[in-house]
Amino acid sequence: MKKFFLMLLSVCVLPLWVSAQKRTIVPGAEWPDNNGLHINAHGGNIIQADGTFFWYGESRPRGTHKAMPGISLYTSPDLVNWKDCGIVLSTVQQPGSPIEYGCVMERPKVVFCPKTQKYVMLFHLELKGKGYSAAMMGFAQSDSPYGPFKFERALRPNAKYWPVDFKRKDKKLAQKQNPEDYKDWWTPEWRQAIEKGMFLWRDFQGGQMSRDQTVYVDDDGTAYQLTSSEDNLTLHLNELTSDFLGFTGRFIRIAPGGQNEAPTLMKNGDTYWMITSGCTGWAPNEARMFSAKSLWGPWTQHPSPCIGPDAKKTFGAQGTYILKHGGRFIFMADRWMPKTLSESRHVWLPIEFGPDGTPQIIWRDKWDIE
Ligand code: DGJ
């Protein structure tokens, strides 16, 4: 009898269960989690630990929340079926705390730090009631990828440091640029002043602005933060300390005045590739791409890697992370829905490489993760 029931289970129930498991990625569709709710993890990243994928992201207000509850975690055995594991870094009710309820936490990235054996989270932090003016970096850490993450500090990177490639004459030139002399933005003179480091010098004492960001751990274990700085005009690549909880002060500027946001990074063979967006708020724009043989540059710009319908608008989305999975790369992006940010759609597409090794992101209505 027992044998009969086991047979019935394997013949009838098991195949039903297997087919109930999703296997394909449908970019831009609603992605229900184990509770049937759309995955509320935006601008984030994915890491793998002990055979499980951990997806961290912005948990945008849903239901009773008016502001962000914090950073969410979803876990999965296969990158397709996701379980809601709740909030792993919460905003707090304590008045005056940098992460007081009402603050904005964006683009969280979690990395494992071998030196401290901790999971470290870096995120863009805007203070309660201050719009997007604080432009700070938040740091939090946890003993476990499941969290909870303990908030450590918030700061602006690289106060009182010059970019490593700045020579004496560059420093002198930057110090001569005064924002008071350029009331009108976007004129050719203003652009030149920006390139020469007008905002770099403006923020020299208090630390450089840091908004959209990603974190990248290089082959030698050194971690870097790549961020939109100088009022989103110029990217900064900032070296992190060995505990990943601060900045060493070594940094470079990339594409000064180029207005790059949403930075993502990967290395294929001996080439680093950076895919970014332009700056148009929540509205999509055309992706940009850069390559270099060293993270410290020089970086060369290439055309957008996107191919297919709406490629000129990055398929209606904005990049958030490049996930390396089994020797391949997945471009993760958000199709923002500004009125209901929690419902913003996830657009994931495989990155392929053309005959000359140039990355291509080709639109697919659906694709199999394997
Ligand atoms: C675009 C950024 O990429 C997003 O992360 C967010 O900061 C919005 N701008 C806010 O307008």
Side-chain angles (χ1 to χ4, degrees):
M1 196 64 170
K2 201 171 151 201
K3 244 184 174 174
F4 174 74
F5 270 118
L6 276 176
M7 213 174 74
L8 203 70
L9 194 78
S10 62
V11 172
C12 305
V13 183
L14 205 66
L16 278 180
W17 180 79
V18 169
S19 68
Q21 296 282 301
K22 288 166 276 168
R23 299 214 165 270
T24 44
I25 299 277
V26 185
E30 212 174 296
W31 286 16
D33 64 9
N34 58 313
N35 299 316
L37 292 171
H38 180 62
I39 295 171
N40 193 0
H42 309 281
N45 83 325
I46 291 177
I47 61 167
Q48 201 178 1
D50 298 330
T52 297
F53 293 99
F54 294 80
W55 181 359
Y56 305 91
E58 300 159 17
S59 179
R60 291 295 185 166
R62 179 148 74 180
T64 55
H65 289 286
K66 288 205 174 66
M68 285 183 70
I71 303 301
S72 55
L73 167 67
Y74 290 78
T75 57
S76 169
D78 54 15
L79 287 173
V80 187
N81 297 279
W82 293 95
K83 179 178 167 207
D84 182 1
C85 293
I87 301 296
V88 286
L89 175 68
S90 296
T91 53
V92 298
Q93 292 299 338
Q94 190 193 330
S97 162
I99 57 164
E100 181 180 358
Y101 182 70
C103 72
V104 177
M105 296 172 170
E106 287 186 352
R107 299 192 176 263
K109 304 287 175 288
V110 173
V111 275
F112 178 67
C113 177
K115 185 180 165 191
T116 59
Q117 296 288 300
K118 304 264 190 200
Y119 292 84
V120 181
M121 181 191 290
L122 280 82
F123 58 98
H124 166 202
L125 175 66
E126 294 295 349
L127 305 176
K128 181 184 176 184
K130 298 263 159 81
Y132 274 79
S133 62
M136 295 172 101
M137 278 307 306
F139 292 88
Q141 61 178 346
S142 169
D143 291 327
S144 156
Y146 289 95
F149 282 77
K150 180 176 169 280
F151 174 67
E152 296 290 344
R153 64 174 69 103
L155 51 85
R156 275 191 173 188
N158 302 323
K160 302 189 179 69
Y161 283 97
W162 289 105
V164 290
D165 52 352
F166 253 45
K167 308 204 171 51
R168 233 176 100 157
K169 69 166 185 6
D170 300 319
K171 296 177 191 170
K172 272 194 173 159
L173 212 57
Q175 290 174 55
K176 281 194 191 133
Q177 316 301 322
N178 180 359
E180 293 297 311
D181 300 337
Y182 300 91
K183 295 283 185 232
D184 293 332
W185 284 37
W186 312 115
T187 63
E189 300 74 29
W190 176 88
R191 277 181 193 282
Q192 243 194 12
I194 290 296
E195 276 172 39
K196 286 178 184 154
M198 179 161 70
F199 287 175
L200 185 75
W201 175 240
R202 179 196 65 187
D203 298 332
F204 188 81
Q205 298 296 332
Q208 299 298 326
M209 296 175 104
S210 178
R211 292 202 182 111
D212 283 9
Q213 61 111 32
T214 194
V215 178
Y216 183 82
V217 182
D218 205 4
D219 302 338
D220 65 358
T222 311
Y224 297 87
Q225 185 226 15
L226 176 65
T227 186
S228 296
S229 190
E230 302 180 36
D231 272 302
N232 291 351
L233 288 159
T234 299
L235 288 165
H236 287 187
L237 180 87
N238 301 323
E239 188 182 71
L240 297 180
T241 51
S242 57
D243 60 4
F244 298 2
L245 288 172
F247 299 95
T248 63
R250 279 170 54 77
F251 76 108
I252 54 165
R253 300 168 86 212
I254 302 171
Q259 278 198 293
N260 286 280
E261 270 194 330
T264 62
L265 250 181
M266 66 173 170
K267 187 182 186 190
N268 189 39
D270 62 354
T271 308
Y272 295 90
W273 294 95
M274 189 198 302
I275 300 173
T276 67
S277 75
C279 292
T280 48
W282 298 112
N285 55 55
E286 187 171 23
R288 291 103 177 267
M289 186 162 70
F290 301 81
S291 72
K293 294 287 177 200
S294 157
L295 282 172
W296 295 101
W299 287 90
T300 307
Q301 188 158 4
H302 305 266
S304 160
C306 299
I307 298 170
D310 222 11
K312 287 259 176 241
K313 293 261 169 81
T314 318
F315 317 117
Q318 189 185 29
T320 181
Y321 191 65
I322 297 174
L323 173 66
K324 193 167 184 188
H325 173 51
R328 292 168 176 240
F329 299 92
I330 299 171
F331 182 64
M332 294 168 55
D334 295 279
R335 190 177 284 167
W336 298 113
M337 296 170 62
K339 288 199 181 118
T340 47
L341 278 173
S342 63
E343 296 303 314
S344 300
R345 298 302 170 83
H346 308 288
V347 173
W348 291 9
L349 289 162
I351 300 181
E352 295 159 63
F353 293 88
D356 63 350
T358 304
Q360 295 177 336
I361 305 175
I362 302 167
W363 174 258
R364 291 157 189 265
D365 291 335
K366 56 182 181 185
W367 56 284
D368 198 307
I369 201 79
E370 295 313 325

